[in-house]
Amino acid sequence: MPRALLSVSDKRGIVEFARELAGLGWEIVSTGGTAKALAAAGITVTPVEKVTGFPEMMDGRVKTLHPAVHGGLLARRQVRGDLMALERHGIAPIDLVAVNLYPFRETVARAGVTVEQAIEQIDIGGPSMLRSAAKNHEAVTVVVEPADYARVVDALRAGGVGPELRRELAVKVFRETASYDAAIAQWLGDHAAGEGAADPDAPPPFLLLALDRRQALRYGENPDQKAAFYVTGESGGLADLSQLGGKELSFNNILDLDAAYLALDPWPDSTACVVIKHTTPCGIALGRTTLEAYRRALATDPVSAYGSVVGFNTVLDAETATAMAELFVEAVVAPSFHPEALAVLRKKKNLRIVEVPRRRPERSLDFKRVRGGFLAESHMRFDPDESAWKTATRRAPTAEELDDLRFAWAAVMSVKSNAILVAKDGRALGIGAGQMSRVDSSMLAVHKARAAGHDVTGAVLASDAFFPFRDGVDEAAKAGVRAIIQPGGSVRDPEVVAAADEHGLAMILTGKRQFRH
């Protein structure tokens, strides 16, 4: 009689799986809670302690770490010495293992979890059994995902689990145990020094990345490049996306969706819209409604908005969806969509409709790949704290200018460097991005504003990093800008501030850079 060992934390489908195995003539060996669940369902179960000759002990910490289990898993059926060892020690082979692991990742994702609670969710026997069975997959079928139970049953009914499927299942095991160990090492490493003992944003001394392929993509940055989207398992961000319509997502779509998510982050309590082109905003605005926010964002640069990704930070309604029909858009992203809005958007069969819940991702690192390694840095987030702001010029901004400066400072965060953004009344009028000099970005922002028919007179300007020379201020003043917000920190700050004073501008130094390379 073939023998199966079942020991699962996630009990979805395990009763049905065991019942199928029993019906095919298998002996079922099981542990703890799994054995109780199977017995309660009327399935005959051999307790693991009957196999090992030892009871489960230490609150279940020790139950399957025994030669009677691992000998049965690791014995090579084609090696006479292995089979003689089994016979000499009275060990029966184990032909199938279904194990999934203690919910460590789910446990540490909850707020307020202590190190002691996390440690108790570190599985020892489960990974050991999985690895033993996967190592000997020539003879043993190993199942780590409940979704594979039906495939195994179908194969057994058809005459047996073939070598291709056994190897595929073994690969899943090593992938799962590697991911599991990486999560443990990362979490314990972050908490080893004790809460508050170290900078929580400091890059750790080692990184273990376990990435699951979420979906294959149409192609990479160019059609001849293969691409896929991988997720880390952390909550928040694009790992939570749902595509509700349209063509398959591309590599560039994912990058632009992420840029939209970042750009909307500063406004959790206001209605905002952003138009993304090549991972940077070409329009961004607030509004009393999504329709108003969309129209104001689109008006920043309607020419560049062609083929863009449009993002909202609140539910998208039918009225706004109807207005968007006039523009060719690659994708639209929002935390949710009104059913009538979906009906309107789905009339464009190729339009990618993407739903991403608006919740801040947990503290994490951002990565950039370089040849031979990775760069890692703490996650960039907009900081609304104005305690470090100071007026550097003789003239302080008016209350109206200060409101515009707040908006501009939040909006410029998501623009790629050298970033200059001209704004007024809660919307961007012109954006200069990606230039090699800051004065070029200043001139470009003004040019884009005027090209779209906007009057820059009385507007404000935000710069993501300091002005290295006064020329950017001179260009802004020439266009009619009345107030500037920038980090400061240049050796030429006095010269830059003096230029603002000469033109009668107000200038605020934030003391913090928002540079995106």
Side-chain angles (χ1 to χ4, degrees), residues 373-426:
F374 284 85
L375 295 170
E377 62 181 350
S378 58
H379 186 65
M380 185 178 187
R381 282 184 176 151
F382 177 70
D383 184 0
D385 182 14
E386 298 179 13
S387 61
W389 291 16
K390 66 177 183 179
T391 301
T393 48
R394 288 192 294 267
R395 185 174 80 80
T398 65
E400 183 180 2
E401 289 170 346
L402 185 58
D403 282 343
D404 285 339
L405 289 169
R406 289 188 178 108
F407 168 81
W409 184 241
V412 80
M413 175 200 68
S414 56
V415 179
K416 290 290 186 73
S417 63
N418 284 314
I420 296 290
L421 184 141
V422 177
K424 189 173 177 62
D425 298 328

Side-chain angles (χ1 to χ4, degrees), residues 179-409:
S179 174
Y180 192 76
D181 285 342
I184 293 169
Q186 196 66 61
W187 194 88
L188 284 181
D190 290 344
H191 293 76
E195 188 174 352
D199 179 0
D201 291 325
F206 66 93
L207 283 171
L208 296 171
L209 293 180
L211 307 176
D212 292 324
R213 191 175 72 182
R214 168 70 182 271
Q215 65 186 91
L217 303 175
R218 293 181 69 207
Y219 48 77
E221 288 184 287
N222 299 290
D224 61 328
Q225 293 174 272
K226 303 294 185 183
F229 176 38
Y230 292 83
V231 296
T232 60
E234 60 193 347
S235 61
L238 298 193
D240 297 334
L241 74 80
S242 301
Q243 187 171 352
L244 307 180
K247 288 195 299 188
E248 188 180 357
L249 288 168
S250 73
F251 186 92
N252 293 339
N253 293 152
I254 295 283
L255 290 173
D256 286 339
L257 290 170
D258 188 60
Y261 200 89
L262 172 69
L264 295 168
D265 187 60
W267 294 287
D269 302 316
S270 301
T271 300
C273 174
V274 64
V275 182
I276 297 291
K277 195 69 177 288
H278 300 168
T279 72
T280 199
C282 64
I284 188 165
L286 304 180
R288 290 165 295 181
T289 65
T290 54
L291 178 60
E292 182 181 40
Y294 166 69
R295 284 178 171 163
R296 299 178 93 215
L298 177 62
T300 305
D301 186 357
V303 173
S304 296
Y306 180 86
S308 61
V309 166
V310 181
F312 298 88
N313 67 346
T314 189
V315 59
L316 183 61
D317 57 34
E319 189 177 18
T320 309
T322 300
M324 292 179 64
E326 303 168 3
L327 178 69
F328 168 60
V329 175
E330 287 278 351
V332 56
V333 59
S336 61
F337 293 82
H338 193 281
E340 293 179 4
L342 280 176
V344 172
L345 295 171
R346 284 171 174 162
K347 291 178 182 178
K348 290 189 172 185
K349 293 184 178 180
N350 290 335
L351 174 63
R352 301 162 181 89
I353 307 166
V354 181
E355 187 173 272
V356 182
R358 287 300 302 169
R359 65 171 181 260
R360 281 197 161 194
E362 59 196 44
R363 189 180 74 242
S364 60
L365 294 173
D366 282 340
F367 300 96
K368 284 186 171 64
R369 179 80 164 97
V370 295
R371 298 297 184 269
F374 284 85
L375 295 170
E377 62 181 350
S378 58
H379 186 65
M380 185 178 187
R381 282 184 176 151
F382 177 70
D383 184 0
D385 182 14
E386 298 179 13
S387 61
W389 291 16
K390 66 177 183 179
T391 301
T393 48
R394 288 192 294 267
R395 185 174 80 80
T398 65
E400 183 180 2
E401 289 170 346
L402 185 58
D403 282 343
D404 285 339
L405 289 169
R406 289 188 178 108
F407 168 81
W409 184 241

Side-chain angles (χ1 to χ4, degrees), residues 125-199:
S128 300
M129 287 188 290
L130 286 173
R131 289 175 63 85
S132 291
K135 178 175 180 175
N136 200 25
H137 66 270
E138 285 189 1
V140 181
T141 301
V142 58
V143 189
V144 71
E145 295 179 357
D148 287 320
Y149 293 160
R151 297 175 68 199
V152 171
V153 169
D154 288 345
L156 290 172
R157 285 175 176 164
V161 181
E164 295 84 6
L165 180 54
R166 288 199 306 274
R167 174 162 292 197
E168 177 189 337
L169 295 173
V171 170
K172 285 189 178 184
V173 163
F174 290 116
R175 195 166 62 215
E176 169 63 15
T177 57
S179 174
Y180 192 76
D181 285 342
I184 293 169
Q186 196 66 61
W187 194 88
L188 284 181
D190 290 344
H191 293 76
E195 188 174 352
D199 179 0

